[in-house]
């Protein structure tokens, strides 16, 4: 275990904790207080650490994901869907006219884009909640630009899938990319969006002379 700790950079107490919680399988016993660990243990440890530190997932959620990774009967597409749900923010809309209008707008958008079979996804309910809230607080200009936001989301999703690649047979790598990549990607996109806002606003409002123009 000391060698495994040195290889992965994960402290021995943390490795023991992950094993106790069922996130990593025990090593093959080779003697009293000794066990043999292989590359599969190192890979699993790196995955668990990534999901914990960068995916911000709870131990219970990670344990469930590990069980699904180890379930050979679960198809890769279903596994990726389960992984994606772990990083999906949930924001339910309050019942009322705003929710009904938000759902209608979102359904129209999905129909126009050919995004089918998504109404049971957690992200669908979150999007309805966001649109309903925008309606309630009077931000109708943002709602009117829904297609523009969808364009940006589709480009980001296409980039995500290029990173994931066509081969998802490496189930641990695929889950790590979906969970960690989505979480980090959200932060990256938000940061780039703010930088773009500053740059574009300067061009739009500061004039040819920049911020010092009179």
């Amino acid at each position: 275990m000391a060698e495994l700790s040195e290889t992965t950079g994960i402290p021995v107490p943390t490795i023991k904790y992950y094993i106790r919680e069922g996130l990593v399988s025990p090593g093959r016993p080779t003697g009293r207080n000794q066990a043999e660990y292989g590359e599969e243990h190192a890979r699993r440890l790196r995955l668990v650490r990534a999901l914990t530190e960068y995916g911000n997932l709870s131990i219970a959620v990670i344990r469930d994901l590990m069980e699904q990774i180890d379930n050979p009967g679960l198809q890769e597409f279903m596994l990726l869907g389960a992984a994606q749900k772990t990083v999906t923010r949930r924001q339910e809309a309050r019942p009322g006219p705003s929710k009904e209008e938000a759902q209608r707008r979102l359904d129209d958008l999905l129909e126009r884009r050919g995004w089918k079979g998504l109404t049971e996804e957690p992200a669908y309910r979150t999007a309805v909640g966001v649109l309903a809230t925008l309606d309630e607080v009077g931000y109708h200009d943002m709602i009117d630009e829904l297609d523009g936001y969808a364009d940006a989301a589709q480009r980001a999703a296409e980039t995500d899938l290029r990173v994931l690649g066509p081969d998802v047979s490496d189930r641990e790598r695929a889950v790590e990319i979906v969970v960690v990549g989505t979480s980090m990607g959200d932060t990256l996109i938000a940061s780039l969006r703010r930088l773009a806002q500053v740059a574009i606003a300067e061009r739009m409002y500061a004039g040819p002379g920049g911020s010092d123009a009179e």
Side-chain angles (χ1 to χ4, degrees):
M1 187 173 288
E3 294 176 358
L4 184 62
S5 174
E6 184 177 352
T7 299
T8 60
I10 300 174
V12 169
T14 303
I15 295 175
K16 290 181 177 179
Y17 173 65
Y18 288 163
I19 293 175
R20 280 200 311 273
E21 292 296 323
L23 308 181
V24 179
S25 62
R28 183 176 65 85
T30 57
R32 186 178 181 183
N33 298 325
Q34 285 191 323
E36 183 178 77
Y37 298 91
E39 177 58 27
E40 68 276 10
H41 292 93
R43 291 191 64 198
R44 179 59 61 89
L45 280 170
R46 294 187 186 104
L47 173 61
V48 172
R49 179 176 60 181
L51 297 180
T52 303
E53 296 181 358
Y54 301 108
N56 296 315
L57 301 185
S58 69
I59 294 299
V61 169
I62 295 174
R63 185 187 300 112
D64 182 64
L65 272 178
M66 297 305 101
E67 291 174 356
Q68 295 187 65
I69 288 175
D70 294 333
N71 178 7
L74 186 67
Q75 294 181 343
E76 282 79 5
F77 177 77
M78 300 298 294
L79 174 63
L80 296 180
Q84 198 262 357
K85 286 181 174 64
T86 64
V87 288
T88 300
R89 180 185 174 192
R90 291 165 173 79
Q91 179 175 330
E92 296 283 352
R94 294 189 297 272
S98 291
K99 179 180 179 180
E100 294 170 3
E101 175 63 15
Q103 189 166 325
R104 184 193 66 77
R105 283 180 176 270
L106 184 57
D107 288 345
D108 288 346
L109 175 75
L110 299 182
E111 178 67 25
R112 289 196 303 274
R113 292 185 167 265
W115 297 356
K116 301 181 183 300
L118 302 177
T119 56
E120 297 302 317
E121 293 292 323
Y124 175 86
R125 297 193 295 273
T126 298
V128 170
V130 170
L131 290 172
T133 300
L134 290 173
D135 180 58
E136 290 169 356
V137 299
Y139 283 94
H140 299 111
D141 289 345
M142 290 184 67
I143 297 175
D144 292 340
E145 291 295 335
L146 185 57
D147 277 288
Y149 289 113
D151 287 338
Q154 180 158 331
R155 289 195 296 272
E158 289 168 349
T159 300
D160 291 336
L161 293 174
R162 284 198 299 272
V163 172
L164 182 59
D167 182 9
V168 292
S169 58
D170 187 338
R171 296 162 72 92
E172 289 181 315
R173 175 184 176 275
V175 165
E176 183 174 359
I177 290 177
V178 169
V179 175
V180 179
T182 299
S183 179
M184 302 288 280
D186 286 348
T187 302
L188 177 60
I189 290 171
S191 301
L192 293 174
R193 179 186 185 187
R194 283 153 180 75
L195 292 173
Q197 286 173 343
V198 173
I200 294 171
E202 185 173 358
R203 289 202 301 269
M204 289 179 63
Y205 305 123
S211 58
D212 294 329
E214 296 181 357

